[in-house]
Short mmCIF file of all heavy atoms in Angstrom, two decimals:
data_model
loop_
_atom_site.label_atom_id
_atom_site.label_comp_id
_atom_site.label_asym_id
_atom_site.label_seq_id
_atom_site.Cartn_x
_atom_site.Cartn_y
_atom_site.Cartn_z
N MET A 1 175.33 67.30 112.86
CA MET A 1 174.12 68.05 112.58
C MET A 1 174.42 69.54 112.57
O MET A 1 175.07 70.06 113.48
CB MET A 1 173.09 67.77 113.69
CG MET A 1 171.91 68.70 113.59
SD MET A 1 171.20 68.96 115.18
CE MET A 1 170.10 67.58 115.20
N LYS A 2 173.99 70.21 111.54
CA LYS A 2 174.20 71.65 111.45
C LYS A 2 172.95 72.34 110.97
O LYS A 2 172.28 71.87 110.06
CB LYS A 2 175.34 71.96 110.49
CG LYS A 2 176.68 71.68 111.10
CD LYS A 2 177.80 72.10 110.20
CE LYS A 2 179.12 71.90 110.94
NZ LYS A 2 180.26 71.95 110.06
N LYS A 3 172.63 73.45 111.60
CA LYS A 3 171.50 74.26 111.17
C LYS A 3 172.02 75.65 110.83
O LYS A 3 172.80 76.22 111.59
CB LYS A 3 170.47 74.41 112.30
CG LYS A 3 170.00 73.13 112.90
CD LYS A 3 168.77 72.62 112.19
CE LYS A 3 168.21 71.42 112.92
NZ LYS A 3 167.64 70.44 112.00
N TYR A 4 171.57 76.15 109.70
CA TYR A 4 171.90 77.52 109.33
C TYR A 4 170.71 78.40 109.66
O TYR A 4 169.57 78.02 109.42
CB TYR A 4 172.21 77.60 107.84
CG TYR A 4 173.44 76.81 107.48
CD1 TYR A 4 173.33 75.51 107.01
CD2 TYR A 4 174.70 77.37 107.63
CE1 TYR A 4 174.47 74.77 106.70
CE2 TYR A 4 175.84 76.65 107.31
CZ TYR A 4 175.72 75.35 106.85
OH TYR A 4 176.83 74.62 106.55
N CYS A 5 170.99 79.57 110.19
CA CYS A 5 169.86 80.42 110.55
C CYS A 5 170.20 81.90 110.42
O CYS A 5 171.36 82.30 110.54
CB CYS A 5 169.39 80.11 111.98
SG CYS A 5 170.70 80.16 113.19
N CYS A 6 169.17 82.68 110.15
CA CYS A 6 169.32 84.13 110.11
C CYS A 6 169.17 84.67 111.53
O CYS A 6 168.91 83.92 112.48
CB CYS A 6 168.27 84.73 109.19
SG CYS A 6 166.58 84.59 109.81
N GLU A 7 169.30 85.97 111.66
CA GLU A 7 169.23 86.60 112.98
C GLU A 7 167.90 86.32 113.68
O GLU A 7 167.86 86.09 114.87
CB GLU A 7 169.40 88.12 112.81
CG GLU A 7 170.16 88.76 113.93
CD GLU A 7 171.18 89.77 113.40
OE1 GLU A 7 171.13 90.10 112.20
OE2 GLU A 7 171.99 90.22 114.19
N MET A 8 166.84 86.31 112.90
CA MET A 8 165.50 86.11 113.47
C MET A 8 165.29 84.69 113.98
O MET A 8 164.45 84.47 114.85
CB MET A 8 164.44 86.39 112.41
CG MET A 8 164.05 87.84 112.31
SD MET A 8 162.74 88.03 111.07
CE MET A 8 161.49 86.94 111.76
N HIS A 9 165.98 83.75 113.40
CA HIS A 9 165.71 82.34 113.72
C HIS A 9 166.79 81.69 114.58
O HIS A 9 166.80 80.48 114.74
CB HIS A 9 165.50 81.55 112.42
CG HIS A 9 164.18 81.85 111.78
ND1 HIS A 9 164.06 82.61 110.64
CD2 HIS A 9 162.93 81.52 112.16
CE1 HIS A 9 162.78 82.73 110.34
NE2 HIS A 9 162.07 82.09 111.24
N VAL A 10 167.68 82.50 115.14
CA VAL A 10 168.73 81.94 115.99
C VAL A 10 168.12 81.18 117.17
O VAL A 10 168.47 80.03 117.43
CB VAL A 10 169.67 83.05 116.53
CG1 VAL A 10 170.61 82.49 117.58
CG2 VAL A 10 170.46 83.66 115.40
N ASN A 11 167.19 81.81 117.86
CA ASN A 11 166.61 81.16 119.03
C ASN A 11 165.85 79.91 118.65
O ASN A 11 165.89 78.91 119.36
CB ASN A 11 165.69 82.13 119.79
CG ASN A 11 166.49 83.19 120.51
OD1 ASN A 11 167.66 82.98 120.85
ND2 ASN A 11 165.90 84.34 120.73
N HIS A 12 165.16 79.97 117.53
CA HIS A 12 164.43 78.80 117.07
C HIS A 12 165.39 77.65 116.76
O HIS A 12 165.16 76.51 117.17
CB HIS A 12 163.60 79.17 115.84
CG HIS A 12 162.81 78.02 115.32
ND1 HIS A 12 161.73 77.52 115.99
CD2 HIS A 12 162.95 77.26 114.20
CE1 HIS A 12 161.24 76.49 115.30
NE2 HIS A 12 161.96 76.32 114.22
N ALA A 13 166.45 77.95 116.06
CA ALA A 13 167.43 76.91 115.71
C ALA A 13 168.05 76.31 116.97
O ALA A 13 168.23 75.09 117.07
CB ALA A 13 168.51 77.50 114.81
N LEU A 14 168.37 77.16 117.94
CA LEU A 14 168.92 76.65 119.20
C LEU A 14 167.93 75.72 119.89
O LEU A 14 168.29 74.64 120.35
CB LEU A 14 169.27 77.81 120.14
CG LEU A 14 170.49 78.63 119.78
CD1 LEU A 14 170.59 79.85 120.69
CD2 LEU A 14 171.76 77.82 119.88
N ASP A 15 166.66 76.13 119.93
CA ASP A 15 165.63 75.29 120.55
C ASP A 15 165.53 73.94 119.87
O ASP A 15 165.40 72.90 120.52
CB ASP A 15 164.26 75.98 120.48
CG ASP A 15 164.14 77.09 121.50
OD1 ASP A 15 165.01 77.21 122.37
OD2 ASP A 15 163.16 77.85 121.40
N VAL A 16 165.55 73.94 118.55
CA VAL A 16 165.42 72.70 117.78
C VAL A 16 166.59 71.76 118.08
O VAL A 16 166.39 70.58 118.34
CB VAL A 16 165.34 72.99 116.27
CG1 VAL A 16 165.50 71.71 115.46
CG2 VAL A 16 164.02 73.68 115.94
N VAL A 17 167.79 72.30 118.07
CA VAL A 17 168.97 71.46 118.30
C VAL A 17 168.99 70.95 119.74
O VAL A 17 169.28 69.78 119.99
CB VAL A 17 170.27 72.22 117.96
CG1 VAL A 17 171.50 71.39 118.33
CG2 VAL A 17 170.30 72.56 116.48
N VAL A 18 168.64 71.80 120.68
CA VAL A 18 168.57 71.35 122.08
C VAL A 18 167.55 70.23 122.22
O VAL A 18 167.80 69.21 122.87
CB VAL A 18 168.24 72.52 123.03
CG1 VAL A 18 167.89 72.01 124.43
CG2 VAL A 18 169.41 73.48 123.10
N ALA A 19 166.40 70.39 121.58
CA ALA A 19 165.35 69.37 121.66
C ALA A 19 165.81 68.05 121.04
O ALA A 19 165.50 66.97 121.55
CB ALA A 19 164.08 69.86 120.97
N GLU A 20 166.57 68.13 119.97
CA GLU A 20 166.99 66.91 119.26
C GLU A 20 168.18 66.24 119.93
O GLU A 20 168.31 65.02 119.90
CB GLU A 20 167.35 67.25 117.81
CG GLU A 20 166.12 67.51 116.96
CD GLU A 20 166.48 67.82 115.51
OE1 GLU A 20 167.65 67.62 115.10
OE2 GLU A 20 165.59 68.28 114.79
N THR A 21 169.07 67.02 120.50
CA THR A 21 170.32 66.45 121.02
C THR A 21 170.37 66.39 122.54
O THR A 21 171.23 65.72 123.10
CB THR A 21 171.54 67.26 120.54
OG1 THR A 21 171.49 68.56 121.14
CG2 THR A 21 171.57 67.37 119.03
N LYS A 22 169.48 67.15 123.21
CA LYS A 22 169.51 67.27 124.68
C LYS A 22 170.79 67.89 125.19
O LYS A 22 171.16 67.73 126.34
CB LYS A 22 169.31 65.90 125.38
CG LYS A 22 168.21 65.06 124.80
CD LYS A 22 166.85 65.60 125.18
CE LYS A 22 165.76 64.62 124.75
NZ LYS A 22 164.57 65.35 124.29
N GLU A 23 171.49 68.57 124.32
CA GLU A 23 172.71 69.27 124.72
C GLU A 23 172.64 70.70 124.24
O GLU A 23 172.01 70.98 123.23
CB GLU A 23 173.95 68.63 124.06
CG GLU A 23 174.26 67.25 124.56
CD GLU A 23 175.32 66.60 123.67
OE1 GLU A 23 176.02 67.32 122.95
OE2 GLU A 23 175.40 65.37 123.71
N TYR A 24 173.38 71.57 124.92
CA TYR A 24 173.42 72.93 124.43
C TYR A 24 174.39 73.01 123.26
O TYR A 24 175.52 72.57 123.36
CB TYR A 24 173.83 73.91 125.54
CG TYR A 24 173.38 75.30 125.18
CD1 TYR A 24 172.05 75.67 125.32
CD2 TYR A 24 174.27 76.21 124.64
CE1 TYR A 24 171.62 76.93 124.95
CE2 TYR A 24 173.85 77.47 124.27
CZ TYR A 24 172.51 77.82 124.43
OH TYR A 24 172.09 79.07 124.05
N PRO A 25 173.96 73.52 122.12
CA PRO A 25 174.79 73.51 120.91
C PRO A 25 175.79 74.66 120.85
O PRO A 25 175.72 75.60 121.62
CB PRO A 25 173.77 73.65 119.79
CG PRO A 25 172.65 74.40 120.40
CD PRO A 25 172.62 74.05 121.86
N LEU A 26 176.67 74.55 119.90
CA LEU A 26 177.59 75.65 119.57
C LEU A 26 176.90 76.62 118.62
O LEU A 26 176.23 76.20 117.69
CB LEU A 26 178.82 75.10 118.86
CG LEU A 26 179.89 74.41 119.70
CD1 LEU A 26 180.98 73.90 118.76
CD2 LEU A 26 180.48 75.35 120.73
N LEU A 27 177.11 77.88 118.86
CA LEU A 27 176.58 78.91 117.96
C LEU A 27 177.76 79.70 117.42
O LEU A 27 178.52 80.29 118.17
CB LEU A 27 175.65 79.83 118.73
CG LEU A 27 175.06 81.00 117.96
CD1 LEU A 27 174.18 80.53 116.82
CD2 LEU A 27 174.28 81.90 118.89
N GLU A 28 177.91 79.66 116.10
CA GLU A 28 179.03 80.38 115.48
C GLU A 28 178.51 81.31 114.40
O GLU A 28 177.51 81.03 113.76
CB GLU A 28 180.00 79.39 114.83
CG GLU A 28 180.70 78.49 115.81
CD GLU A 28 181.41 77.37 115.08
OE1 GLU A 28 180.72 76.43 114.65
OE2 GLU A 28 182.62 77.48 114.90
N LYS A 29 179.25 82.38 114.17
CA LYS A 29 178.91 83.26 113.06
C LYS A 29 179.46 82.69 111.76
O LYS A 29 180.56 82.16 111.74
CB LYS A 29 179.53 84.64 113.29
CG LYS A 29 178.75 85.48 114.25
CD LYS A 29 179.14 86.94 114.13
CE LYS A 29 178.06 87.81 114.76
NZ LYS A 29 178.36 89.23 114.67
N LEU A 30 178.69 82.84 110.71
CA LEU A 30 179.17 82.41 109.41
C LEU A 30 180.20 83.41 108.88
O LEU A 30 180.10 84.61 109.11
CB LEU A 30 178.02 82.36 108.40
CG LEU A 30 177.17 81.11 108.38
CD1 LEU A 30 176.10 81.28 107.31
CD2 LEU A 30 177.99 79.89 108.05
N GLU A 31 181.16 82.90 108.15
CA GLU A 31 182.12 83.77 107.47
C GLU A 31 181.40 84.57 106.39
O GLU A 31 180.40 84.13 105.84
CB GLU A 31 183.20 82.91 106.80
CG GLU A 31 183.98 82.04 107.77
CD GLU A 31 184.75 82.86 108.79
OE1 GLU A 31 185.21 83.96 108.44
OE2 GLU A 31 184.87 82.39 109.92
N GLU A 32 181.95 85.72 106.08
CA GLU A 32 181.31 86.61 105.11
C GLU A 32 181.00 85.94 103.78
O GLU A 32 179.92 86.08 103.23
CB GLU A 32 182.18 87.84 104.85
CG GLU A 32 182.20 88.83 105.98
CD GLU A 32 180.83 89.47 106.22
OE1 GLU A 32 180.11 89.69 105.25
OE2 GLU A 32 180.51 89.72 107.40
N GLU A 33 181.95 85.18 103.25
CA GLU A 33 181.73 84.58 101.93
C GLU A 33 180.71 83.44 101.98
O GLU A 33 180.00 83.19 101.01
CB GLU A 33 183.04 84.15 101.27
CG GLU A 33 183.81 83.07 102.00
CD GLU A 33 184.78 83.66 103.03
OE1 GLU A 33 184.56 84.80 103.49
OE2 GLU A 33 185.73 82.97 103.36
N ALA A 34 180.61 82.79 103.12
CA ALA A 34 179.63 81.71 103.26
C ALA A 34 178.21 82.25 103.34
O ALA A 34 177.26 81.61 102.91
CB ALA A 34 179.95 80.87 104.49
N LYS A 35 178.07 83.46 103.88
CA LYS A 35 176.75 84.07 104.01
C LYS A 35 176.05 84.21 102.68
O LYS A 35 174.84 84.07 102.57
CB LYS A 35 176.88 85.48 104.60
CG LYS A 35 177.02 85.52 106.09
CD LYS A 35 177.00 86.98 106.50
CE LYS A 35 177.50 87.15 107.91
NZ LYS A 35 177.67 88.56 108.22
N LEU A 36 176.82 84.55 101.66
CA LEU A 36 176.22 84.86 100.36
C LEU A 36 175.55 83.66 99.73
O LEU A 36 174.61 83.80 98.97
CB LEU A 36 177.30 85.41 99.41
CG LEU A 36 177.94 86.71 99.89
CD1 LEU A 36 179.12 87.05 99.00
CD2 LEU A 36 176.94 87.84 99.88
N SER A 37 176.04 82.48 100.03
CA SER A 37 175.52 81.29 99.36
C SER A 37 174.68 80.41 100.27
O SER A 37 174.24 79.35 99.86
CB SER A 37 176.69 80.48 98.80
OG SER A 37 177.60 80.19 99.84
N THR A 38 174.45 80.84 101.50
CA THR A 38 173.75 79.98 102.44
C THR A 38 172.48 80.65 102.92
O THR A 38 172.50 81.79 103.37
CB THR A 38 174.66 79.69 103.66
OG1 THR A 38 175.92 79.27 103.19
CG2 THR A 38 174.04 78.62 104.55
N LYS A 39 171.40 79.91 102.84
CA LYS A 39 170.12 80.44 103.30
C LYS A 39 169.76 79.87 104.66
O LYS A 39 170.16 78.76 105.01
CB LYS A 39 169.01 80.07 102.31
CG LYS A 39 168.99 81.01 101.14
CD LYS A 39 167.74 80.82 100.32
CE LYS A 39 167.71 81.89 99.24
NZ LYS A 39 166.63 81.68 98.30
N CYS A 40 168.97 80.65 105.39
CA CYS A 40 168.40 80.19 106.65
C CYS A 40 167.59 78.93 106.41
O CYS A 40 166.91 78.81 105.39
CB CYS A 40 167.51 81.31 107.19
SG CYS A 40 166.55 80.87 108.63
N ASP A 41 167.65 78.00 107.36
CA ASP A 41 166.87 76.76 107.23
C ASP A 41 165.37 77.00 107.44
O ASP A 41 164.57 76.13 107.15
CB ASP A 41 167.34 75.74 108.28
CG ASP A 41 168.66 75.09 107.88
OD1 ASP A 41 169.16 75.40 106.79
OD2 ASP A 41 169.17 74.28 108.67
N TYR A 42 165.01 78.16 107.95
CA TYR A 42 163.61 78.39 108.33
C TYR A 42 162.93 79.50 107.56
O TYR A 42 161.74 79.72 107.71
CB TYR A 42 163.55 78.69 109.84
CG TYR A 42 164.26 77.63 110.64
CD1 TYR A 42 165.52 77.87 111.16
CD2 TYR A 42 163.67 76.38 110.84
CE1 TYR A 42 166.20 76.88 111.86
CE2 TYR A 42 164.35 75.39 111.53
CZ TYR A 42 165.60 75.65 112.04
OH TYR A 42 166.27 74.68 112.72
N CYS A 43 163.68 80.22 106.74
CA CYS A 43 163.07 81.26 105.92
C CYS A 43 163.98 81.53 104.72
O CYS A 43 164.97 80.83 104.52
CB CYS A 43 162.81 82.54 106.73
SG CYS A 43 164.30 83.44 107.15
N GLU A 44 163.68 82.54 103.96
CA GLU A 44 164.43 82.81 102.73
C GLU A 44 165.57 83.81 102.93
O GLU A 44 166.25 84.16 101.98
CB GLU A 44 163.47 83.37 101.67
CG GLU A 44 162.45 82.36 101.19
CD GLU A 44 163.12 81.18 100.48
OE1 GLU A 44 163.91 81.42 99.56
OE2 GLU A 44 162.86 80.03 100.87
N ASN A 45 165.78 84.26 104.15
CA ASN A 45 166.87 85.19 104.40
C ASN A 45 168.22 84.50 104.32
O ASN A 45 168.30 83.29 104.47
CB ASN A 45 166.72 85.82 105.78
CG ASN A 45 165.52 86.73 105.88
OD1 ASN A 45 165.09 87.29 104.89
ND2 ASN A 45 164.97 86.84 107.07
N GLU A 46 169.26 85.30 104.15
CA GLU A 46 170.59 84.69 104.17
C GLU A 46 170.95 84.31 105.61
O GLU A 46 170.61 85.01 106.56
CB GLU A 46 171.63 85.61 103.54
CG GLU A 46 171.89 86.87 104.30
CD GLU A 46 172.92 87.75 103.59
OE1 GLU A 46 172.98 87.72 102.34
OE2 GLU A 46 173.65 88.46 104.28
N ALA A 47 171.64 83.20 105.73
CA ALA A 47 172.02 82.73 107.06
C ALA A 47 173.14 83.60 107.62
O ALA A 47 174.03 84.03 106.90
CB ALA A 47 172.47 81.28 106.98
N LYS A 48 173.06 83.87 108.92
CA LYS A 48 174.13 84.63 109.58
C LYS A 48 174.87 83.78 110.60
O LYS A 48 175.98 84.10 110.98
CB LYS A 48 173.53 85.84 110.30
CG LYS A 48 173.05 86.91 109.34
CD LYS A 48 173.34 88.29 109.91
CE LYS A 48 173.16 89.34 108.85
NZ LYS A 48 171.94 90.08 108.99
N TYR A 49 174.22 82.72 111.05
CA TYR A 49 174.81 81.89 112.10
C TYR A 49 174.70 80.42 111.75
O TYR A 49 173.83 80.02 110.96
CB TYR A 49 174.09 82.12 113.44
CG TYR A 49 174.17 83.53 113.93
CD1 TYR A 49 173.14 84.42 113.66
CD2 TYR A 49 175.27 83.97 114.64
CE1 TYR A 49 173.20 85.74 114.10
CE2 TYR A 49 175.35 85.29 115.08
CZ TYR A 49 174.32 86.15 114.81
OH TYR A 49 174.39 87.45 115.24
N ILE A 50 175.55 79.66 112.36
CA ILE A 50 175.47 78.22 112.23
C ILE A 50 175.40 77.62 113.64
O ILE A 50 176.14 77.99 114.52
CB ILE A 50 176.65 77.68 111.41
CG1 ILE A 50 176.55 76.18 111.27
CG2 ILE A 50 177.98 78.07 111.99
CD1 ILE A 50 177.49 75.63 110.22
N VAL A 51 174.44 76.74 113.81
CA VAL A 51 174.27 76.06 115.09
C VAL A 51 174.67 74.61 114.88
O VAL A 51 174.16 73.94 113.98
CB VAL A 51 172.79 76.13 115.56
CG1 VAL A 51 172.62 75.41 116.89
CG2 VAL A 51 172.34 77.57 115.67
N SER A 52 175.58 74.12 115.69
CA SER A 52 176.04 72.75 115.51
C SER A 52 176.26 72.08 116.85
O SER A 52 176.32 72.72 117.90
CB SER A 52 177.33 72.72 114.69
OG SER A 52 178.35 73.43 115.37
N ARG A 53 176.35 70.79 116.78
CA ARG A 53 176.63 70.00 117.97
C ARG A 53 178.06 70.16 118.40
O ARG A 53 178.95 70.26 117.58
CB ARG A 53 176.41 68.53 117.61
CG ARG A 53 175.30 67.93 118.39
CD ARG A 53 175.29 66.47 118.11
NE ARG A 53 175.14 65.82 119.38
CZ ARG A 53 174.49 64.68 119.54
NH1 ARG A 53 173.99 64.07 118.51
NH2 ARG A 53 174.36 64.17 120.72
N LYS A 54 178.28 70.13 119.70
CA LYS A 54 179.65 70.21 120.20
C LYS A 54 180.44 68.96 119.84
O LYS A 54 179.87 67.90 119.78
CB LYS A 54 179.63 70.37 121.70
CG LYS A 54 179.52 71.80 122.09
CD LYS A 54 179.52 71.96 123.61
CE LYS A 54 179.01 73.36 123.94
NZ LYS A 54 178.62 73.48 125.31
ZN1 LIG B 1 165.31 82.74 109.13
#
């Protein structure tokens, strides 16, 4: 499971993943080139972070 999120939605994405998995997720920064083609899962901004299961 992976969620892409912008700066504004980092906390929201973390909450969602914690609620779904009952575990604290990994939070990583997206690489520069990936940012350009990836949108936040919760709004239209470009994604800056990726939240994933350990
Ligand atoms: Zn967002």
Side-chain angles (χ1 to χ4, degrees):
M1 170 209 273
K2 284 185 174 165
K3 307 269 187 215
Y4 296 95
C5 52
C6 68
E7 216 137 11
M8 274 182 58
H9 287 107
V10 171
N11 288 334
H12 181 70
L14 287 172
D15 284 350
V16 168
V17 175
V18 169
E20 286 181 12
T21 66
K22 315 287 188 217
E23 292 169 19
Y24 201 77
L26 283 177
L27 177 63
E28 295 168 283
K29 281 197 162 181
L30 276 180
E31 300 297 327
E32 286 295 325
E33 63 271 23
K35 279 185 195 171
L36 298 171
S37 55
T38 310
K39 279 191 174 173
C40 173
D41 284 357
Y42 308 102
C43 71
E44 293 296 307
N45 292 333
E46 66 181 32
K48 288 217 167 104
Y49 299 95
I50 180 167
V51 180
S52 61
R53 244 188 134 147
K54 273 181 196 164

